[in-house]
Amino acid sequence: MNIVMMGAQGTGKGTVAGILKQKLNIPHISTGDIFRKNIQEETELGKLATQYIDKGQLVPDEVTNAMVKSRINELDCENGFILDGYPRNIAQAEELDKMLEEKNKKVDYAINLTLEMEEIMSRIINRRICSNSECKEIYNLVSKPTKAPGICDKCGSEIVQRVDDSDSEAVKKRLDTYFSQTAPLIDFYNKKGVVYKVESNKPPKDLAEGIIEFLK
Ligand code: ADP
Ligand code: ZN
């Protein structure tokens, strides 16, 4: 089953996808996480991506498409995957369709998480992530704080704020890009009849349970 997670920044795509991954036993592929790992490891891809990400801009399509293509061709994606943060514009969605067609596959579901603007802003501002790229647990200073201040509950690493979350210009730019370039994808997938809309004002665990029920 091939799933794409849709929804603005802060709607919980990553957190919900992390739970779905466990329940469905298919990999969770977050393009943002792959870029951040490359930045941390100072790879060539990381050096290129950071120039865009820090400013809240999209990494060029050619780079992102190639990265996704190689990832979904890995063996663990054979039975499906959950894409989070990709596709982000029509061109990427068309490219994804091509990649999947080559394998006689398609996007089976597009899960659209929705949330009010005020809540989106608050979640981005309060978001913290585990700095360990093998863990990447997502926290929220208000709704999901760590047990010990600044320390990941799961792995004990330091929790940090993403560079692009700490810069209000970058946050604004990302939301603008979301509503102008990514939101039109809802229509793109609606035409294919694969969209499932979920109001994201519930705990991620409950959201994931509802989605699993629907998928059944
Ligand atoms: P958010 O959804 O909160 O902006 P992500 O972790 O999904 O965060 O992505 C972080 C950054 O990585 C984006 O702002 C963008 O620069 C880059 N990125 C991630 N996915 C893509 C994509 N599909 N196309 C282009 N750039 C991307
Ligand atoms: Zn951790």
Side-chain angles (χ1 to χ4, degrees):
M1 188 185 299
N2 304 319
I3 302 174
V4 301
M5 302 296 297
M6 303 290 309
Q9 286 76 7
T11 51
K13 294 190 295 295
T15 311
V16 172
I19 305 172
L20 291 178
K21 159 199 157 129
Q22 307 283 344
K23 304 217 179 211
L24 299 172
N25 205 16
I26 49 177
H28 165 206
I29 304 171
S30 155
T31 43
D33 284 348
I34 303 177
F35 284 132
R36 280 185 288 277
K37 185 162 198 263
N38 276 275
I39 292 169
Q40 216 166 35
E41 292 172 354
E42 298 180 3
T43 66
E44 286 307 311
L45 173 64
K47 282 178 208 157
L48 181 119
T50 200
Q51 298 170 34
Y52 298 92
I53 294 179
D54 291 356
K55 287 182 243 162
Q57 296 169 356
L58 290 185
V59 177
D61 285 350
E62 313 82 76
V63 177
T64 311
N65 290 336
M67 181 177 91
V68 170
K69 184 166 187 178
S70 111
R71 181 64 189 88
I72 65 174
N73 277 322
E74 281 178 39
L75 257 167
D76 63 338
C77 293
E78 206 89 306
N79 294 323
F81 49 74
I82 306 163
L83 276 175
D84 159 17
Y86 183 94
R88 250 179 157 93
N89 56 36
I90 299 283
Q92 291 185 4
E94 288 173 342
E95 198 55 37
L96 175 63
D97 279 350
K98 273 196 223 157
M99 293 176 208
L100 292 171
E101 264 164 37
E102 283 174 17
K103 299 154 75 76
N104 278 322
K105 290 181 176 174
K106 60 182 172 59
V107 169
D108 298 303
Y109 298 103
I111 310 290
N112 180 27
L113 299 180
T114 64
L115 198 62
E116 277 177 24
M117 201 56 200
E118 218 173 292
E119 180 65 19
I120 286 177
M121 290 307 290
S122 144
R123 288 202 195 170
I124 298 175
I125 292 165
N126 291 308
R127 171 160 62 190
R128 295 293 182 273
I129 59 168
C130 174
S131 59
N132 169 4
S133 66
E134 299 301 319
C135 174
K136 304 169 302 205
E137 186 68 9
I138 305 166
Y139 294 93
N140 181 292
L141 294 181
V142 182
S143 62
K144 189 190 168 192
T146 51
K147 293 199 182 88
I151 303 294
C152 176
D153 296 350
K154 286 211 166 157
C155 76
S157 301
E158 186 192 1
I159 60 157
V160 293
Q161 186 171 34
R162 283 167 40 177
V163 180
D164 56 347
D165 280 352
S166 65
D167 175 344
S168 64
E169 281 306 308
V171 170
K172 194 173 162 296
K173 179 111 190 73
R174 277 154 60 214
L175 286 169
D176 281 350
T177 306
Y178 177 80
F179 288 104
S180 64
Q181 295 192 43
T182 313
L185 285 178
I186 309 294
D187 226 35
F188 176 93
Y189 286 120
N190 253 328
K191 288 192 181 119
K192 298 179 188 281
V194 298
V195 177
Y196 180 59
K197 184 178 167 190
V198 183
E199 274 183 46
S200 195
N201 52 2
K202 274 189 250 167
K205 211 172 121 287
D206 298 352
L207 297 176
E209 270 165 21
I211 295 167
I212 297 278
E213 273 308 303
F214 162 78
L215 295 176
K216 279 184 189 159

